[in-house]
């Protein structure tokens, strides 16, 4: 494991960054390109480790995928074109890959086995394997089917009729992908609205899906057709620079090409409520997924409460929101966010533990955290714990640190933002 000396004591950030492709949409572009008929071209694909794991799994399932310079060419032959893999499918660190892939494999009449890294081995899979087993797939795994390694023998599926116990786009998407292969119409109900990239993909690939509040209706046996996808920039990556621009004195940062899907923009709502000077220049042309530029300037911030149906719209941004809250006047309470415990790490524990080391006044609760601001940050040796978003949050925190600060295991960042440090350095004057 390596350690990286982080930049500290930064006086301002200035400049412009073009945000790399969205991770969720990049995964789905490979998956839908693979199950559609014909050629799909993808531009601005995110070459992060997670999305490369998705490409590798679909190649093992017999799909031709050419990749060069952020452009993909995928030749899909429909669900029926996928073949029994001769090797295990390794999803690396990627929860989206394994959970959505299980939804696809549940309907395929062959055997496959799925593995991942140490973090994947701790993440709950029954939320997907239980409903897929009820539909007719034969699934097993370690600890009674709860964890990887997982084996699937798919086949004919009954239509889905399922109320999700947790607000999870990964579970919803797995069931939609199974529903596309079922014999009949499926109904999936989510407790709160989650990211709708899968639904948008189906429409983009010429399919049909209906949404009525939190109820999703999808017909089985649809034929999807290859298309052209431009992946917008990832708002979850932009979030690190939004917060950096807001808290480093005298900053002005322009973030270009950011995806502004309303199921993902919770961070913007929270920052505006806290008093951030944040401007949005929306691109009126983009219809598949809304896109725009964001301009952030430093301002005085005040604490807030982040809760309820806003949580799924910013679930991946909570580590960086916690840092933001350390620099806001007053108390910030984050609640209803138990799901943080089953992310790449237990993000309630890792955020609180690491920010405390730097001198933040932060405490963990059962379903979130409480942060008291505004507090200076000192510095020290911190760790990503192998979690990309914890690593990036700490690199932004270090900018404010007064003393030498080192990050253990910075490599984790390449899961979602391989050129994160190049972008950060380009803003430092
Ligand atoms: C994702 C959904 C979210 C999110 C993850 C990506 C997706 O997970 O945290 O980073 O692409 O569908 P959950 O569905 O488990 O909430």
């Amino acid at each position: 494991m390596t350690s990286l000396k982080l930049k500290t004591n930064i006086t301002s950030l200035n400049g412009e960054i073009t945000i790399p492709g969205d991770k969720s949409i990049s995964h789905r572009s490979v998956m839908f390109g693979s199950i559609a008929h014909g050629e799909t071209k993808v531009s601005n694909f995110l070459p992060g480790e997670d999305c490369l794991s998705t490409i590798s799994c679909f190649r093992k399932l017999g799909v031709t995928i050419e990749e060069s310079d952020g452009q993909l060419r995928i030749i899909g032959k429909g669900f029926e074109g996928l073949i029994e893999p001769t090797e295990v499918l390794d999803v690396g660190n990627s929860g989206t890959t394994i959970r959505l892939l299980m939804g696809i494999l549940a309907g395929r009449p062959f055997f496959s086995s799925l593995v991942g890294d140490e973090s994947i081995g701790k993440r709950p899979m029954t939320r997907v394997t239980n409903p897929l087993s009820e539909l007719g797939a034969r699934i097993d795994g370690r600890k009674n089917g709860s964890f990887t390694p997982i084996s699937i023998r798919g086949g004919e599926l009954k239509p889905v009729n399922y109320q999700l116990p947790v607000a999870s786009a990964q579970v919803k998407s797995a069931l939609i992908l199974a529903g596309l292969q079922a014999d009949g119409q499926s109904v999936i109900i989510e407790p709160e609205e989650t990211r709708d990239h899968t639904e948008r993909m189906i429409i983009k690939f010429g399919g049909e899906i209906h949404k009525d509040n939190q109820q999703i209706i999808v017909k089985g046996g649809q034929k999807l057709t290859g298309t052209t996808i431009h992946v917008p920039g990832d708002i979850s990556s932009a979030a690190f620079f939004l917060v950096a621009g807001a808290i480093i004195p005298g900053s002005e940062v322009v973030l270009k090409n950011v995806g502004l899907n309303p199921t993902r923009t919770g961070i913007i709502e929270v920052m505006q409520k806290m008093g951030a000077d944040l401007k949005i220049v929306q691109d009126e042309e983009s219809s598949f997924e809304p896109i725009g530029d964001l301009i952030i300037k430093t301002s005085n911030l005040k604490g807030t409460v982040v809760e309820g149906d806003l949580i799924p719209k910013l679930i991946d941004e909570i580590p960086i929101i916690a840092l933001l809250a350390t620099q806001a006047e007053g108390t910030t309470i984050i609640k209803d966010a138990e799901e943080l415990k089953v992310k790449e790490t237990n993000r309630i524990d890792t955020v609180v533990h690491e920010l405390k080391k730097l001198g933040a006044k932060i405490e963990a609760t059962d379903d979130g955290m409480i942060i008291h601001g505004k507090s200076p940050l000192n510095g020290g040796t911190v760790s990503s714990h192998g979690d990309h978003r914890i690593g990036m949050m700490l690199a932004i925190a270090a900018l404010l640190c007064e003393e030498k600060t080192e990050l253990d295991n910075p490599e984790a960042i390449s899961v979602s933002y391989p050129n994160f440090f190049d972008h950060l350095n380009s803003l430092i004057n």
Side-chain angles (χ1 to χ4, degrees):
M1 192 182 62
T2 59
S3 178
L4 182 74
K5 189 169 175 285
L6 296 171
K7 297 241 161 78
T8 52
N9 262 313
I10 297 303
T11 46
S12 72
L13 294 178
N14 288 283
E16 186 179 296
I17 295 174
T18 300
I19 296 296
D22 186 278
K23 182 157 79 70
S24 293
I25 300 174
S26 293
H27 282 303
R28 286 160 173 82
S29 68
V30 174
M31 294 182 180
F32 277 89
S34 298
I35 59 175
H37 290 262
E39 183 184 83
T40 290
K41 284 192 167 164
V42 185
S43 57
N44 200 38
F45 179 80
L46 173 70
E49 296 293 337
D50 268 12
C51 301
L52 298 180
S53 296
T54 295
I55 292 186
S56 143
C57 290
F58 279 87
R59 283 187 177 142
K60 288 181 184 165
L61 289 162
V63 183
T64 302
I65 304 172
E66 292 164 13
E67 191 214 351
S68 76
D69 255 2
Q71 310 273 338
L72 299 184
R73 185 170 164 263
I74 306 164
I75 311 294
K77 294 189 189 139
F79 277 109
E80 327 70 75
L82 300 178
I83 57 166
E84 185 165 61
T86 55
E87 290 171 68
V88 291
L89 304 174
D90 187 348
V91 304
N93 189 243
S94 178
T96 305
T97 309
I98 191 162
R99 295 200 176 114
L100 272 60
L101 189 52
M102 284 198 271
I104 294 174
L105 296 175
R108 296 299 85 219
F110 55 68
F111 173 84
S112 24
S113 54
L114 296 123
V115 297
D117 69 5
E118 199 190 328
S119 151
I120 278 291
K122 292 183 192 147
R123 298 183 68 182
M125 294 299 151
T126 46
R127 51 179 60 195
V128 182
T129 55
N130 283 349
L132 291 178
S133 301
E134 273 175 38
L135 301 181
R138 280 147 63 193
I139 309 184
D140 208 347
R142 189 167 46 92
K143 299 215 169 151
N144 280 326
S146 306
F147 299 103
T148 54
I150 280 181
S151 65
I152 303 191
R153 186 174 290 281
E156 276 178 26
L157 296 179
K158 288 187 277 192
V160 186
N161 198 327
Y162 194 68
Q163 184 138 15
L164 298 182
V166 282
S168 162
Q170 291 179 354
V171 181
K172 170 181 72 174
S173 300
L175 294 175
I176 292 175
L177 286 160
L180 280 173
Q181 303 173 77
D183 182 16
Q185 177 173 285
S186 293
V187 181
I188 299 150
I189 301 165
E190 45 181 357
E192 278 141 17
E193 192 181 32
T194 61
R195 64 189 69 192
D196 64 359
H197 306 303
T198 300
E199 294 91 312
R200 286 172 187 258
M201 279 281 166
I202 291 181
I203 301 198
K204 184 80 172 123
F205 279 83
E208 247 181 76
I209 186 158
H210 301 282
K211 210 167 165 183
D212 187 0
N213 291 317
Q214 271 106 260
Q215 176 165 292
I216 294 144
I217 301 169
V218 64
K219 265 196 316 218
Q222 295 187 47
K223 185 176 172 197
L224 302 175
T225 312
T227 186
T228 304
I229 304 270
H230 177 74
V231 181
D234 198 328
I235 189 164
S236 298
S237 300
F240 297 99
F241 294 108
L242 281 178
V243 168
I247 63 177
I248 311 291
S251 298
E252 177 165 354
V253 178
V254 180
L255 303 170
K256 308 279 288 181
N257 181 42
V258 184
L260 297 174
N261 179 319
T263 61
R264 296 282 300 281
T265 48
I267 175 98
I268 294 180
E269 280 177 54
V270 166
M271 289 187 72
Q272 285 176 333
K273 218 165 94 188
M274 292 175 81
D277 181 350
L278 170 56
K279 281 198 190 59
I280 307 169
V281 186
Q282 183 112 16
D283 173 358
E284 301 300 336
E285 304 280 285
S286 51
S287 59
F288 159 55
E289 289 276 354
I291 299 183
D293 297 340
L294 301 175
I295 304 156
I296 182 78
K297 291 187 198 163
T298 320
S299 62
N300 291 327
L301 301 164
K302 53 182 192 299
T304 188
V305 179
V306 185
E307 62 182 336
D309 59 8
L310 196 54
I311 297 293
K313 298 185 172 69
L314 47 67
I315 187 74
D316 291 339
E317 285 65 80
I318 292 178
I320 194 70
I321 289 173
L323 171 65
L324 179 71
T326 67
Q327 302 308 309
E329 291 298 339
T331 301
T332 293
I333 302 173
I334 299 171
K335 52 185 182 184
D336 305 323
E338 300 89 339
E339 274 296 297
L340 289 177
K341 295 179 181 167
V342 291
K343 294 296 174 190
E344 285 82 334
T345 55
N346 176 336
R347 285 187 177 155
I348 297 182
D349 287 355
T350 48
V351 166
V352 169
H353 184 75
E354 295 304 317
L355 281 177
K356 257 195 182 153
K357 279 189 198 166
L358 296 178
K361 297 193 186 75
I362 180 167
E363 54 198 88
T365 62
D366 262 358
D367 64 348
M369 47 196 104
I370 300 174
I371 304 122
H372 302 282
K374 173 179 180 171
S375 57
L377 301 178
N378 317 318
T381 299
V382 287
S383 169
S384 72
H385 295 261
D387 183 333
H388 54 130
R389 300 201 197 281
I390 301 296
M392 288 186 274
M393 180 275 283
L394 293 167
I396 300 298
L399 303 174
L400 286 175
C401 287
E402 287 154 18
E403 294 152 26
K404 195 176 124 198
T405 302
E406 283 196 24
L407 176 65
D408 286 342
N409 198 354
E411 297 84 1
I413 291 173
S414 61
V415 153
S416 66
Y417 203 156
N419 52 352
F420 171 76
F421 283 109
D422 295 337
H423 282 181
L424 177 56
N425 291 338
S426 75
L427 298 176
I428 297 174
N429 306 302

